[in-house]
DNA sequence: CTCTCCCGCCAGAAG
DNA sequence: CTTCTGGCGGGAGAG
């Protein structure tokens, strides 16, 4: 049977012109969101039903659902069943992610060499009772660690826990030790959620993403506004990346992208480091005679706070990602046979 | 050419 | 066992 619902554009005037855009995850996600929002909060979403309504195979729904769950709009209830929490749930979830990310940064993990790995190595699970050093505690699935949901959450932390305004997927991939391909999926879903926005980098012209506030609900949310009262203490998005007129530099992350060892050596002045993490807006304070100390790698912080205008800069710091790029965690296929076996038993 | 990223195989997990 | 989940990367469309 044909799908009952299709794209609102419905430019199916000619079936010959097939375009990938019509099948993109972002568009599918938008339709999925519309479907969920129509049902109202706390409604149960069935994967089969959703797949049928959207006219896609089940597999694609899993992708969307996992990413959406990372920011709290959806929650898994049971097999095949998800609960729609509404857009108001995003602020809570994202705020929590920010706290977790900040905590991860302050915690000097022994296994992680830099901040990138701190986020990447973060296991926000299996810390239940009897935490300690049970034999083979990490025997649990590392599969979950590489899940889209975890990756999506770490992607959010990248935006919230650093002062980088613009992040390219390439950089995010190396930071999070993930494949770029996966981040495309996540980014597309987040774009449809209005969490991030794709723009062209002022210097490179390459596409980068920037965190934005979910300023508007697609439907003004009569239903969504039902319990939106608890939302928020404030617009946390405004704290950092939302309205920051600061410079939008891709790689200004050098402040916290230090090796763990380096940070260890300079514990004397480490307080400033971690303090700056929490108060990244310190640059507006620098204008009052900033000659007391210098931020080691963060020298040029006193550059004019001109907005995102064509700020041409060609500084390409990637010292923090070369370490991460060294890793090759996955790949269990030892055999060179890349051919897939069609015929299975 | 590079950048995007859809498709769906198939390995685990759940039932 | 069957069914559900979803990691994973080939390879094709878009720019």
């Amino acid at each position: 049977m044909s799908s009952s619902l299709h794209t609102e554009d419905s430019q199916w005037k000619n079936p010959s012109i097939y375009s990938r855009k019509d099948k993109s995850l972002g568009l599918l996600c938008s339709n999925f969101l519309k479907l969920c929002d129509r049902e109202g909060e706390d409604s149960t979403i069935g994967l089969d039903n959703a797949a049928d309504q959207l006219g896609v195979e089940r597999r694609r729904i899993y992708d969307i659902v996992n990413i959406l769950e990372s920011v709290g709009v959806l929650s898994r209830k049971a097999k095949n069943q998800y609960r729609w929490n509404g857009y108001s749930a995003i602020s809570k979830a994202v705020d929590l992610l920010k706290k977790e990310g900040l905590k991860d940064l302050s915690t000097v993990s022994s296994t992680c060499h830099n901040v990138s790995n701190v986020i990447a190595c973060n296991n926000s699970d299996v810390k239940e009772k009897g935490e300690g050093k049970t034999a083979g505690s990490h025997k649990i699935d590392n599969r979950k660690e590489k899940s889209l949901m975890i990756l999506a959450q770490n992607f959010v932390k990248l935006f919230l826990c650093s002062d980088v305004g613009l992040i390219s997927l390439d950089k995010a991939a190396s930071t999070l030790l993930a494949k770029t391909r996966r981040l495309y999926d996540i980014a597309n879903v987040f774009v449809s959620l209005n969490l991030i926005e794709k723009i062209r980098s002022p210097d490179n012209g390459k596409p980068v993403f920037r965190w934005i506030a979910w300023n508007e609900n697609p439907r003004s949310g009569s239903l969504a506004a039902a319990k939106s009262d608890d939302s928020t203490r404030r617009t946390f998005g405004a704290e950092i990346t939302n309205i920051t007129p600061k410079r939008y530099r891709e790689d200004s992350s050098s402040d916290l992208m230090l090796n763990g060892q380096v940070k260890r050596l300079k514990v004397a002045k480490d307080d400033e480091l971690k303090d700056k993490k929490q108060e990244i807006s310190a640059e507006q304070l620098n204008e009052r005679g900033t000659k007391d100390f210098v931020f080691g790698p963060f020298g040029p912080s006193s550059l004019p706070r001109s907005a995102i205008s064509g700020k041409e800069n060609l500084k390409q710091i990637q010292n923090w990602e070369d370490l991460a790029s060294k890793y090759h965690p996955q790949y269990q296929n030892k055999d060179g046979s890349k051919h897939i076996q069609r015929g299975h038993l």
Side-chain angles (χ1 to χ4, degrees):
Chain A
M1 295 307 180
S2 304
S3 59
S4 54
L5 275 185
H6 51 76
T7 55
E8 71 285 357
D9 297 325
S10 70
Q11 64 276 23
W12 305 96
K13 44 183 174 293
N14 194 341
S16 336
I17 42 176
Y18 159 80
S19 178
R20 296 174 98 216
K21 297 286 187 169
D22 300 327
K23 315 285 281 300
S24 68
L25 251 198
L27 180 59
L28 181 61
C29 183
S30 297
N31 290 332
F32 182 82
L33 254 27
K34 211 171 301 181
L35 192 66
C36 293
D37 198 27
R38 184 180 307 161
E39 299 296 325
E41 288 188 25
D42 297 325
S43 63
T44 298
I45 306 296
L47 297 187
D48 287 302
N49 183 42
D52 184 61
Q53 297 289 283
L54 300 172
V56 295
E57 65 267 38
R58 194 93 129 21
R59 180 65 193 83
R60 300 280 73 81
I61 301 297
Y62 291 131
D63 288 332
I64 293 177
V65 149
N66 285 330
I67 299 172
L68 291 180
E69 194 179 8
S70 68
V71 289
V73 280
L74 280 180
S75 299
R76 185 194 284 105
K77 269 178 56 180
K79 184 184 78 174
N80 237 302
Q81 302 293 316
Y82 278 79
R83 185 163 55 89
W84 173 247
N85 297 319
Y87 298 103
S88 59
I90 295 180
S91 55
K92 274 280 177 57
V94 170
D95 198 31
L96 182 60
L97 283 178
K98 180 186 170 186
K99 283 182 170 57
E100 289 181 4
L102 256 30
K103 185 180 64 180
D104 295 338
L105 290 178
S106 59
T107 303
V108 181
S109 185
S110 57
T111 51
C112 299
H113 299 301
N114 53 26
V115 177
S116 312
N117 290 335
V118 169
I119 297 178
C121 296
N122 169 35
N123 301 331
S124 56
D125 58 317
V126 292
K127 48 186 50 192
E128 67 286 3
K129 82 295 182 204
E131 197 280 327
K133 47 201 296 293
T134 57
S137 57
H138 54 280
K139 58 188 297 295
I140 330 231
D141 45 353
N142 57 348
R143 178 182 175 91
K144 185 173 184 177
E145 298 175 6
K146 307 202 294 183
S147 67
L148 256 195
M149 191 181 76
I150 300 298
L151 183 57
Q153 289 180 337
N154 288 335
F155 188 57
V156 171
K157 290 177 183 177
L158 253 194
F159 284 100
L160 299 182
C161 302
S162 67
D163 65 339
V164 265
L166 305 179
I167 300 178
S168 66
L169 296 188
D170 187 42
K171 172 158 293 190
S174 59
T175 302
L176 303 176
L177 307 178
K179 303 290 183 296
T180 310
R181 219 179 326 180
R182 300 278 79 83
L183 288 175
Y184 279 112
D185 297 335
I186 295 173
N188 286 332
V189 170
F190 282 170
V191 166
S192 64
L193 262 180
N194 289 312
L195 288 181
I196 61 176
E197 177 187 44
K198 179 196 275 186
I199 60 177
R200 315 296 293 195
S201 175
D203 7 277
N204 292 330
K206 299 185 180 219
V208 291
F209 289 87
R210 152 180 115 77
W211 185 267
I212 57 177
W214 47 92
N215 35 22
E216 43 86 24
N217 284 347
R219 271 317 229 157
S220 81
S222 55
L223 297 170
K227 66 164 189 172
S228 61
D229 55 308
D230 58 354
S231 67
T232 64
R233 359 176 348 106
R234 64 194 183 282
T235 4
F236 54 93
E239 291 180 7
I240 28 180
T241 46
N242 182 20
I243 55 176
T244 41
K246 56 167 70 170
R247 80 287 187 210
Y248 278 124
R249 214 55 107 28
E250 264 187 73
D251 47 47
S252 56
S253 54
S254 54
D255 56 326
L256 37 79
M257 295 308 170
L258 302 173
N259 294 341
Q261 286 73 15
V262 175
K263 190 190 296 182
R264 193 77 58 85
L265 295 176
K266 52 195 299 185
V267 284
K269 60 184 66 174
D270 184 85
D271 54 334
E272 301 167 356
L273 261 298
K274 71 175 181 132
D275 186 280
K276 195 160 67 64
K277 290 175 190 171
Q278 300 174 355
E279 296 296 330
I280 30 200
S281 60
E283 61 184 24
Q284 42 192 158
L285 309 175
N286 62 5
E287 58 181 283
R288 44 107 206 212
T290 312
K291 58 190 180 67
D292 311 295
F293 50 82
V294 294
F295 306 90
F298 207 58
S301 61
S302 59
L303 55 84
R305 61 268 192 80
S306 63
I308 46 194
S309 351
K311 199 65 181 174
E312 293 287 336
N313 265 9
L314 38 91
K315 58 195 299 288
Q316 288 278 65
I317 304 177
Q318 43 191 130
N319 48 7
W320 57 285
E321 71 180 42
D322 66 335
L323 289 173
S325 61
K326 295 281 198 295
Y327 283 71
H328 234 68
Q330 66 279 74
Y331 268 101
Q332 298 194 305
N333 306 354
K334 72 294 172 188
D335 196 8
S337 64
K338 58 183 75 70
H339 290 277
I340 50 179
Q341 309 292 32
R342 297 291 297 277
H344 53 76
L345 61 133

